[in-house]
Amino acid sequence: MKNFINLKDISGKDLRKILIDAKNRKSARKKLNNLEVDKGAPLKGQLLIQMFEKSSLRTRLSFYLAIKQLGGSTLTLRPDELHLSKGGESIEDTAKILSNFGNAFMLRTDSDEKMEEFRKYLSIPIINGLSPSSHATQILSDVFTIEEIKKKSISKLNISWIGDSNNVLNSLIAASIKFSFELNIGCPKEYQPNKNTLDYIKNNKNKISFHNDAKKAATKADVIFSDKVISMNDKVNVIKKLNHFKKFKIDKKLMSYAKKDCIFLHCLPRGKEVDEKVFSSKQSKVWQQALNRVHVQKSILLYCFGKLR
């Protein structure tokens, strides 16, 4: 049994194994429809229990299809339906019940502490579907998409992030260290990552640079990433924050500083951080990016079950 919570905690070798498996599985499904099961049904009879404390579209759909295509089933729980939130039942007791009924648990939560407490008491794998500090399943899938499009290892590419410091960027930073790729981060100085993330960068060999100028961050980029400036449940002065990011909007002019074949990625949903002309352009690969989450999450599930081929 293995958990999948944060890229920092998983070896680069295991992450690469997941990506290779995802590539092989995607290739093998070219003639199959969404609900047809992979050859061998490697997770036949297995139940993935999902719980979402925050809104979800891509993560919810992709994990549903992922476990289905592997031969298993999924059950989605709403926290407001459980005694955990309504009746005061403890995480420890909830985790023991989940472990008795299910074979893996995927949690999207607004609390890193809650993720850790579930990990402590579960006797089945836990997968992080998003937490305040990490969006590991998203970024590993994005690495897959980049290598699929660029047809080369991400370690040979120049990756740019332009936008707010959040859980997605935290996981991208971890990926940069694990896969040894150049990462240029463009954001206002007051929105740089927190001390824990900066210490993680400092204590690990890296190719990460910070820029308070979007143009410098985008120069000669092979890939430009972004995310919503105003995230889910972001308790900030919205007008003030958007004003701080005015010079970090991704438009055609900013894209012109990148390489000609630069692609644009966004984990969605989008906001005002990207111009429509970029989002809808040929450089934008956001739909391919979203669909690839199914393939990578299948391999993440197999990793957690100890069944990577």
Side-chain angles (χ1 to χ4, degrees):
M1 182 192 94
K2 295 177 181 177
N3 298 317
F4 195 92
I5 298 174
N6 196 312
L7 296 183
K8 292 192 289 187
D9 303 325
I10 304 169
S11 71
K13 184 178 179 181
D14 281 345
L15 293 173
R16 180 53 66 188
K17 280 183 181 178
I18 293 170
L19 293 175
I20 291 170
D21 184 79
K23 182 179 180 180
N24 292 336
R25 288 191 175 278
K26 182 174 181 179
S27 179
R29 284 198 65 85
K30 287 180 179 176
K31 295 182 180 179
L32 299 179
N33 66 37
N34 275 351
L35 294 180
E36 286 185 275
V37 177
D38 283 5
K39 185 178 180 181
L43 293 187
K44 183 179 180 181
Q46 304 297 303
L47 174 64
L48 171 67
I49 299 175
Q50 305 184 96
M51 188 167 82
F52 296 90
E53 293 184 327
K54 301 181 77 172
S55 302
S56 177
L57 176 61
R58 284 149 291 276
T59 301
R60 187 189 302 259
L61 287 172
S62 53
F63 267 111
Y64 173 82
L65 284 177
I67 191 74
K68 279 274 190 183
Q69 290 178 7
L70 292 170
S73 296
T74 185
L75 174 66
T76 299
L77 303 175
R78 280 174 36 197
D80 62 354
E81 297 174 326
L82 307 182
H83 294 291
L84 179 66
S85 60
K86 293 285 186 179
E89 187 164 27
S90 68
I91 287 178
E92 179 178 1
D93 291 357
T94 303
K96 288 176 180 177
I97 293 297
L98 292 172
S99 298
N100 287 337
F101 282 84
N103 303 103
F105 180 51
M106 197 285 295
L107 175 64
R108 171 172 281 219
T109 180
D110 53 9
S111 167
D112 289 308
E113 292 73 24
K114 191 175 288 184
M115 181 73 66
E116 181 56 29
E117 197 169 353
F118 266 113
R119 184 202 64 77
K120 181 180 177 181
Y121 293 114
L122 285 166
S123 58
I124 58 176
I126 182 170
I127 299 169
N128 185 351
L130 179 146
S131 67
S133 67
S134 170
H135 201 355
T137 60
Q138 174 71 54
I139 286 299
L140 191 59
S141 177
D142 292 344
V143 172
F144 177 89
T145 299
I146 289 165
E147 293 189 340
E148 181 178 62
I149 293 168
K150 294 296 184 178
K151 295 181 169 46
K152 62 176 71 174
S153 170
I154 195 168
S155 64
K156 297 177 181 177
L157 298 172
N158 180 355
I159 311 299
S160 171
W161 171 276
I162 297 174
D164 197 12
S165 296
N166 58 16
N167 49 4
V168 183
L169 177 58
N170 288 345
S171 291
L172 185 61
I173 286 169
S176 173
I177 289 169
K178 293 291 180 178
F179 293 107
S180 189
F181 60 79
E182 188 174 344
L183 175 60
N184 288 289
I185 299 165
C187 67
K189 193 172 184 179
E190 57 267 49
Y191 292 93
Q192 285 192 354
N194 62 28
K195 185 179 183 299
N196 286 342
T197 303
L198 294 176
D199 286 345
Y200 171 66
I201 294 170
K202 185 178 177 181
N203 295 331
N204 288 273
K205 187 178 179 182
N206 67 82
K207 300 177 182 176
I208 300 169
S209 301
F210 288 91
H211 306 276
N212 303 134
D213 182 328
K215 176 185 169 183
K216 287 181 180 177
T219 299
K220 296 184 179 179
D222 293 290
V223 181
I224 290 181
F225 269 98
S226 192
D227 192 7
K228 281 188 82 169
V229 170
I230 308 298
S231 303
M232 286 187 288
N233 303 325
D234 206 351
K235 296 177 177 66
V236 296
N237 182 317
V238 174
I239 295 172
K240 184 178 178 181
K241 188 173 183 182
L242 288 174
N243 191 50
H244 282 152
F245 279 89
K246 265 186 178 179
K247 294 181 180 179
F248 291 83
K249 184 164 185 173
I250 300 166
D251 54 21
K252 283 288 188 180
K253 184 177 180 181
L254 187 61
M255 291 293 290
S256 72
Y257 295 109
K259 293 180 182 176
K260 286 186 177 181
D261 62 349
C262 176
I263 62 170
F264 171 74
L265 296 179
H266 195 299
C267 62
L268 300 174
R270 58 173 157 148
K272 296 181 179 180
E273 65 285 335
V274 56
D275 188 81
E276 178 65 33
K277 289 180 181 178
V278 172
F279 188 85
S280 300
S281 70
K282 290 181 179 179
Q283 287 177 286
S284 175
K285 304 297 179 183
V286 295
W287 309 125
Q288 182 175 343
Q289 176 188 7
L291 188 57
N292 275 338
R293 294 198 64 197
V294 176
H295 306 292
V296 176
Q297 266 140 219
K298 285 166 68 176
S299 300
I300 288 171
L301 284 166
L302 291 169
Y303 164 79
C304 292
F305 280 92
K307 291 192 174 186
L308 268 187
R309 62 186 183 189

